[in-house]
Amino acid sequence: MPAISDDSASEADRMLAALVPRLRGTCAVDLAFAGPRDSGSTESITIRHLAGHLGHSLRHLRVQAGQGLGGKSLVLGRPVVAHDYFNARHIEHSYDHAVAPERIHAALAVPVRLHDTIIGVCYLAHRRNVTFGDRLVASATALVRRLERDLAVEYEVRRALRARAEADARDARLLGELREELEAVIALVTEPQARSRLRALSAGLREITDGGADPAGSPVRQETLSARELDVLRLVAKGASNNDIATALVLTPNTVKAYLRSVTRKLGATNRTHAVALARGNRLIE
């Protein structure tokens, strides 16, 4: 399995934390838990998030590929069910000592993917003699697939923002080099009118590379905000919540959060309210 970035791993961990209680409630199971892939590892996950647990025997349990129910799901890349967990012969039983205190009878493990890479495993379990039927497996898998779509969107937003930031940095660097060259040329010009015109040109380049400034002196450049970021910021200015913005712009709430993080970073804002104030002060929005 290929490596995943720290940002993607962190986002996956955060989303898994929110997914676990939803899995338990929607699928009406006794216990749900999940773990992201370990940083720097392609062969293990660590269980970090639980809902409905009796104790903490499963928390921080490291599951190796091929071992236990989740380890088999990690290797096969598909859901794996154990209807009678402790008597199941199709799985390896390295983690029975951690499973036993939870009195699990039947369990299901579902891998979580980002593109073609497995980045975590979700588990559902019953303490009663209940069978995981096709409908329940399909329901759990559908929730995981929704999480995967959100992760993919978040990944693409991060990738696009990173590419834009790199392009902006390259443009600013090139303009800065041009301005330095222009200043060197100005030093050689003695004719007053030509020197004045070159000075004005240099000042214009400085405005582009350095940007305007807010009252506190923080540089703000309108060109660094994309059209979509401005759309999000305008709705924030109207008092819309992240969910309202997501609905209005046909985005996921996680994508809205990603745009807001980018906006506050670019404007040098401390929060969304500060971002709106800076944007209005620099006439980026009404």
Side-chain angles (χ1 to χ4, degrees):
M1 288 180 287
I4 57 174
S5 69
D6 290 341
D7 282 348
S8 295
S10 176
E11 189 65 21
D13 187 48
R14 185 183 66 78
M15 289 186 176
L16 285 173
L19 177 65
V20 163
R22 287 176 56 200
L23 278 171
R24 183 181 181 230
T26 302
C27 299
V29 294
D30 296 319
L31 171 65
F33 51 103
R37 265 210 6 226
D38 293 322
S39 178
S41 171
T42 61
E43 300 296 330
S44 65
I45 67 163
T46 295
I47 296 169
R48 291 167 49 83
H49 312 292
L50 303 96
H53 49 299
L54 300 176
H56 297 283
S57 61
L58 291 173
R59 192 181 297 277
H60 304 309
L61 178 68
R62 189 176 188 185
V63 178
Q64 296 287 341
Q67 297 181 4
L69 188 70
K72 184 166 185 177
S73 179
L74 193 61
V75 169
L76 296 179
R78 60 174 173 79
V80 178
V81 178
H83 294 296
D84 185 358
Y85 180 86
F86 288 101
N87 293 314
R89 295 185 178 181
H90 65 289
I91 62 172
E92 196 273 340
H93 286 271
S94 295
Y95 309 115
D96 286 5
H97 66 284
V99 176
E102 290 293 339
R103 304 201 297 270
I104 290 173
H105 178 78
L108 164 68
V110 183
V112 181
R113 295 178 179 275
L114 176 58
H115 301 146
D116 294 326
T117 302
I118 296 176
I119 59 172
V121 176
C122 294
Y123 300 78
L124 293 85
H126 279 298
R127 298 187 176 96
R128 299 158 287 153
N129 185 7
V130 176
T131 299
F132 276 93
D134 292 342
R135 181 175 297 180
L136 181 56
V137 173
S139 178
T141 303
L143 286 173
V144 172
R145 296 295 171 262
R146 190 177 305 164
L147 170 70
E148 291 174 341
R149 289 193 294 272
D150 286 346
L151 279 170
V153 169
E154 180 78 9
Y155 176 86
E156 289 303 322
V157 168
R158 287 180 182 275
R159 185 190 62 76
L161 292 176
R162 187 162 50 248
R164 176 62 186 270
E166 290 171 355
D168 285 347
R170 285 195 303 271
D171 292 344
R173 186 166 57 250
L174 288 172
L175 286 171
E177 291 171 356
L178 286 173
R179 185 164 61 86
E180 289 176 2
E181 182 66 22
L182 180 59
E183 290 290 344
V185 171
I186 291 173
L188 302 175
V189 175
T190 58
E191 202 278 317
Q193 187 174 2
R195 190 180 183 91
S196 177
R197 292 179 65 182
L198 288 172
R199 286 289 185 194
L201 179 59
S202 179
L205 285 173
R206 183 180 296 108
E207 181 68 22
I208 294 173
T209 56
D210 296 344
D214 69 359
S218 299
V220 177
R221 297 188 303 161
Q222 181 172 357
E223 67 271 19
T224 63
L225 294 186
S226 69
R228 208 53 159 166
E229 288 168 343
L230 288 171
D231 288 341
V232 169
L233 198 55
R234 289 187 186 98
L235 290 173
V236 171
K238 294 179 180 179
S241 67
N242 288 356
N243 287 336
D244 293 335
I245 297 170
T247 300
L249 300 181
V250 194
L251 301 170
T252 68
N254 287 317
T255 303
V256 173
K257 290 177 184 177
Y259 277 127
L260 286 174
R261 284 196 296 270
S262 176
V263 166
T264 54
R265 176 181 59 79
K266 289 179 178 181
L267 296 181
T270 56
N271 53 45
R272 59 199 287 154
T273 303
H274 187 204
V276 168
L278 289 176
R280 281 175 169 161
N282 287 273
R283 300 180 181 177
L284 302 184
I285 61 174
E286 295 296 328

